[in-house]
Amino acid sequence: MQMKKIITVILILCAIMVFATWQYRLLCLLLAVLLNRSWIKQRWPKACPFVTWGLVIAIFIAIPNYFQHGRSQLIYLNDKGERIGTPLPVYAINALLPEEELMNVGMKLTAVLPPASLSPVFKNLGIRFIRDAQHDFWNGMALTFYAPYNRLSLQGSNPGSFAIAQAMNETLGTDYDGIYVTKPISYDDSKAYPVVFFAHGFLGSWELYQGLLSRLEDCLVVSIGTKDLSGIFGYNDIQRIFTKYLPYLEQEGFHIDKKQLHLMGLSNGGTASNVGLRSFSSKLKTITYISTSCDVTKKVKTKVIMIGGGKDASSSGLPNVAQRLRSCGTNVALLFDQNDNHYILVHQTEEIFNFLNKEIKDV
């Protein structure tokens, strides 16, 4: 019985070390030190205070940054497009329950959900996406979802989650607006940079995407969102790029190459790409669809980039749409894997970002 308890504790600790946020990992280590304080003091009398306070300091470093620093920053804006401080209620929730931890729990729950008897709540989330996530988890691909978080941490970025603000907008009637800004690796404030605007969809992970998007080379990346959690973008959402977000970047001293503006939409964020292609193509150099559908077929000067998987109900039709767009005279670049699903971006990260970096530069 004692051995079973020891094995159980070890397995729980291993799960925490692999999947949990650094904040929770460090909290577990601190708890272990405090529970074994007498044993540590007997062997290393002077080490215990240093280890304890070292872990406390490390925990505060791991908590989402209130004062933003690092390559990726979450920035809140008022109606005038001016930067404001992180709303305290939003920050408090982020500090207590970081987004990575929410995703950690969400993936575990998804893995054990029985698809045949999903509740109405989970049916509304999209059964096919849950099945794709379950497939990934049970086939050893879950770890690919966690690597981008570590990449973000190594860059000195721990910006919190705008999803908390979106949920408060949806449920409490608040009106928070925010963007993530990710600088190039070797940022030069005298240089004019292309800007990639990235729109993600329903219940996607903001921090996950910043870790992924930091692979885009030699450009500013600005992640935008809907005011609520839906990820369904309309005309006004895309218009804010030009009336609010670009002016903010310029006010902050970023030099923008306005001839090199790009828009990417993922999943429900593909609605942003559709609005862009339908109404703003003259202002955008490329428009990208990732794991989503394209419902616009016309000749445009904008280059259209498409990425999807044959086992993804959202993007399985992209090859046919690409063919129709080409027949209209539109320049289309397609990366398609017949055997991949809705989460192709995390399954084939290196290949996809090599493709995106090339296609954006070759316009």
Side-chain angles (χ1 to χ4, degrees):
M1 183 64 71
Q2 186 68 24
M3 181 57 67
K4 286 184 178 180
K5 288 181 179 180
I6 292 172
I7 292 172
T8 301
V9 170
I10 290 172
L11 289 175
I12 291 171
L13 286 174
C14 287
I16 291 170
M17 289 299 113
V18 172
F19 295 112
T21 60
W22 278 107
Q23 177 184 339
Y24 277 71
R25 293 174 188 173
L26 294 166
L27 278 168
C28 286
L29 288 175
L30 178 61
L31 179 61
V33 169
L34 293 176
L35 290 175
N36 295 279
R37 190 166 41 187
S38 299
W39 183 85
I40 295 172
K41 282 183 176 179
Q42 288 176 2
R43 287 158 180 79
W44 305 284
K46 296 181 180 180
C48 198
F50 290 103
V51 173
T52 301
W53 283 108
L55 287 170
V56 169
I57 293 169
I59 288 167
F60 276 97
I61 293 172
I63 290 174
N65 309 135
Y66 185 81
F67 298 104
Q68 293 289 288
H69 61 270
R71 277 186 65 200
S72 295
Q73 299 183 12
L74 170 55
I75 295 162
Y76 287 88
L77 303 172
N78 61 19
D79 290 338
K80 297 178 181 178
E82 300 166 336
R83 184 171 185 166
I84 59 175
T86 305
L88 288 174
V90 176
Y91 177 74
I93 296 173
N94 269 302
L96 293 172
L97 197 61
E99 182 176 287
E100 187 180 347
E101 205 62 52
L102 288 170
M103 184 172 178
N104 175 26
V105 173
M107 285 196 69
K108 302 299 188 304
L109 291 175
T110 298
V112 298
L113 281 173
S117 57
L118 295 175
S119 72
V121 173
F122 289 105
K123 285 183 180 179
N124 290 336
L125 297 181
I127 292 176
R128 65 183 186 272
F129 300 142
I130 290 177
R131 286 177 177 167
D132 283 351
Q134 288 176 323
H135 173 272
D136 289 353
F137 191 93
W138 294 114
N139 285 275
M141 291 189 285
L143 285 178
T144 58
F145 285 86
Y146 296 97
Y149 290 104
N150 293 328
R151 182 179 178 86
L152 202 64
S153 298
L154 291 171
Q155 295 168 1
S157 297
N158 194 9
S161 171
F162 187 63
I164 302 296
Q166 288 174 305
M168 294 178 72
N169 288 344
E170 195 169 300
T171 58
L172 303 178
T174 53
D175 191 31
Y176 299 128
D177 188 14
I179 57 175
Y180 286 80
V181 178
T182 300
K183 296 179 182 178
I185 294 175
S186 300
Y187 176 69
D188 180 353
D189 59 10
S190 66
K191 180 180 176 180
Y193 285 96
V195 183
V196 174
F197 291 93
F198 174 82
H200 84 70
F202 180 51
L203 289 182
S205 167
W206 283 103
E207 290 185 9
L208 172 81
Y209 296 130
Q210 306 326 301
L212 290 168
L213 292 165
S214 63
R215 292 174 178 268
L216 289 172
E217 296 173 355
D218 208 31
C219 61
L220 284 170
V221 183
V222 179
S223 294
I224 61 175
T226 49
K227 289 293 185 73
D228 59 13
L229 289 166
S230 70
I232 303 295
F233 288 78
Y235 181 91
N236 291 335
D237 296 311
I238 305 307
Q239 191 176 46
R240 280 203 300 273
I241 289 175
F242 307 98
T243 61
K244 188 173 184 179
Y245 303 143
L246 279 173
Y248 163 75
L249 293 173
E250 291 176 323
Q251 289 168 14
E252 288 291 302
F254 291 106
H255 297 286
I256 307 301
D257 182 353
K258 291 188 177 180
K259 294 181 179 180
Q260 288 284 341
L261 302 179
H262 309 266
L263 177 63
M264 294 183 181
L266 170 73
S267 193
N268 273 12
T271 54
S273 296
N274 282 326
V275 172
L277 190 56
R278 189 177 293 113
S279 304
F280 295 92
S281 61
S282 62
K283 296 183 177 182
L284 297 165
K285 204 70 174 177
T286 68
I287 296 175
T288 299
Y289 292 80
I290 306 173
S291 298
T292 188
S293 60
C294 172
D295 63 11
V296 184
T297 307
K298 65 177 184 177
K299 182 178 180 179
V300 291
K301 292 182 179 180
T302 301
K303 183 177 187 178
V304 178
I305 302 170
M306 295 181 168
I307 299 168
K311 294 184 178 180
D312 173 23
S314 297
S315 62
S316 59
L318 286 181
N320 291 331
V321 180
Q323 187 174 355
R324 292 201 297 271
L325 281 168
R326 285 170 180 154
S327 68
C328 294
T330 297
N331 182 11
V332 180
L334 175 67
L335 177 63
F336 192 80
D337 187 334
Q338 194 64 47
N339 297 312
D340 214 328
N341 63 28
H342 193 66
Y343 305 107
I344 187 172
L345 187 64
V346 291
H347 299 158
Q348 302 188 41
T349 301
E350 186 171 354
E351 181 181 357
I352 287 173
F353 280 97
N354 286 340
F355 173 73
L356 285 171
N357 283 319
K358 178 181 181 298
E359 294 301 330
I360 289 173
K361 288 177 181 177
D362 287 350
V363 181

